[in-house]
Amino acid sequence: MASNSDTPPTQNILIVDDDIAVCKMLSLLLEEEGYRCTIAQEAETALGMLTNTPFSLVICDIKLPGKNGTWLLEKIQEYHANIPVIMLTALGETKLAIDCLHIGASDYLLKPPKMTELVRAIERVKAQKSIELAQERYQRELEATVAARTRELQTALKDVNQSYQNTLLALVAALDAREQETSEHSLRVVTYAVAIARQLKLNSKELQIIGRGALLHDIGKIGVPDAVLLKPGELTPEEWEQMRRHPLVGYQMIKSIPFLSEAAEIVLNHHEHYDGTGYPHGRSKEEIPIGARIFAVADALDAMTRNRPYRKGMSLPAALQEITRYAHKQFDPFVVEAFLSIGENELLRICAEINSQPLWHEALTDRLVSADFQ
């Protein structure tokens, strides 16, 4: 594995050549230029030296006894890639020298090298290595800065998510304060709506929006007078008119809250019917957002299967038949098909889970904030 440590300044040079006279000549000349030199006459010996000594440059002949200079270059690239290599080659070995450049050599010179050319080559290597080290330092500093900024962003997002959750909790608590059954109904409908949305292969973002819209669909009832909202008997036409305003009131309440702006469309349209007979705007078919069309089925299922003071809740099979009967009328037939594909056994399991476990507001709103529906 290549070393990741910074290369020391180019001053401790390993000269590898089987011709001892060439080694001594190069060593003498380079030492006069201020470099420290060590000599090796075989590739394997040189590789061992590289393991134990922090050389900053290797000058290596291509032709060596036993393992040749190309083999040593490959080993240096494998185990000591931070050490630059200048290859020496005879006049007829230019192709081999070019191959060495492809392997990773920094430069090559013809033998015997002229001293001025050798010093220039070493200076070029030093300059290149300085640039590489500066780039590595910059990269490390940049990565450290990005990591620090990422941590800051994660903290900020966590704070934002907590703020979102607190907003949802406050709105659900407001529902609780007006009508206990309204908020409990909303929590159950979230579970049904998300189950249907999964059957339609909606993504986590869409599931999140539908969950938020289902949770807050009746938030506009905060604006309905108690005398109407909590009236035990039938409502008068005027009172129904007041009740029918709650989708628009709810929409106006949350549409300006950025993380609820898309869910607000479900709040506005949750009483629209597929055939256009709903309210407040009489929208039909695809004019109604998919989230609201999904909600309509989930809402009807919960309403039909829950006991009321004035009637007993339907069985699940009876509710399924009723929803099927109103496909193309109150409900989108495509959504009804997806709903029915969940299967009666799975719906019974969901119902049992809802009835047997407390639906804690905080746990559910945390999921609606994080989009943890997958």
Side-chain angles (χ1 to χ4, degrees), residues 47-330:
L47 185 60
M49 291 178 175
L50 288 166
T51 302
N52 301 315
T53 306
F55 290 104
S56 50
L57 175 67
V58 174
I59 299 173
C60 180
D61 190 6
I62 289 180
K63 292 293 185 68
L64 295 171
K67 305 291 187 182
N68 62 21
T70 303
W71 176 88
L72 179 59
L73 174 62
E74 290 172 345
K75 292 300 179 183
I76 292 173
Q77 291 300 302
E78 183 176 357
Y79 297 110
H80 309 283
N82 59 325
I83 302 177
V85 181
I86 296 175
M87 303 300 294
L88 300 179
T89 178
L91 184 59
E93 298 170 346
T94 303
K95 183 179 182 305
L96 287 175
I98 293 173
D99 290 341
C100 288
L101 292 179
H102 292 156
I103 294 171
S106 298
D107 205 345
Y108 76 90
L109 297 172
L110 295 177
K111 292 179 65 177
K114 295 179 181 179
M115 192 59 203
T116 53
E117 293 178 354
L118 180 58
V119 171
R120 288 196 193 102
I122 293 173
E123 292 300 321
R124 284 196 301 270
V125 169
K126 287 175 63 178
Q128 180 61 35
K129 183 53 64 175
S130 295
I131 292 171
E132 291 174 1
L133 291 176
Q135 289 174 334
E136 289 174 7
R137 283 193 298 272
Y138 173 77
Q139 183 66 27
R140 287 196 297 270
E141 292 169 0
L142 178 61
E143 289 172 356
T145 301
V146 169
R149 295 292 182 269
T150 299
R151 288 191 295 270
E152 292 172 4
L153 179 60
Q154 288 171 340
T155 299
L157 288 175
K158 184 177 180 180
D159 292 342
V160 169
N161 279 347
Q162 186 62 51
S163 176
Y164 286 173
Q165 186 188 49
N166 291 340
T167 300
L168 282 175
L169 285 169
L171 291 170
V172 172
L175 283 175
D176 269 337
R178 291 302 312 285
E179 184 186 16
Q180 180 69 32
E181 172 57 26
T182 298
S183 66
E184 291 179 355
H185 161 69
S186 297
L187 291 166
R188 292 192 300 269
V189 171
V190 170
T191 306
Y192 295 134
V194 169
I196 297 169
R198 282 202 185 100
Q199 292 299 113
L200 291 169
K201 309 298 183 186
L202 300 188
N203 61 43
S204 61
K205 176 63 175 176
E206 292 168 314
L207 291 175
Q208 184 187 54
I209 293 168
I210 290 169
R212 289 173 179 174
L215 181 66
L216 298 175
H217 72 278
D218 272 339
I219 192 67
K221 286 186 177 180
I222 291 174
V224 178
D226 284 348
V228 175
L229 182 65
L230 305 178
K231 184 177 180 178
E234 289 189 18
L235 300 181
T236 66
E238 293 78 15
E239 290 170 336
W240 267 116
E241 187 63 29
Q242 287 182 299
M243 184 68 80
R244 285 171 180 262
R245 293 183 63 250
H246 80 267
L248 187 57
V249 171
Y251 173 75
Q252 295 292 342
M253 285 177 63
I254 68 173
K255 69 175 183 177
S256 297
I257 301 175
F259 84 106
L260 294 177
S261 59
E262 293 174 291
E265 292 296 326
I266 296 175
V267 173
L268 177 63
N269 292 281
H270 75 274
H271 276 299
E272 300 288 2
H273 292 173
Y274 189 72
D275 63 1
T277 60
Y279 63 89
H281 296 128
R283 291 173 178 167
S284 64
K285 298 183 178 179
E286 282 70 30
E287 292 177 338
I288 306 169
I290 183 62
R293 283 179 271 148
I294 290 171
F295 167 83
V297 175
D299 180 55
L301 175 66
D302 185 66
M304 286 189 287
T305 56
R306 304 299 295 187
N307 292 327
R308 293 288 186 270
Y310 50 87
R311 63 156 174 83
K312 186 178 170 139
M314 291 183 183
S315 67
L316 178 61
L320 297 182
Q321 288 181 0
E322 192 73 1
I323 289 172
T324 302
R325 187 159 72 94
Y326 280 90
H328 294 281
K329 299 175 185 176
Q330 185 173 346

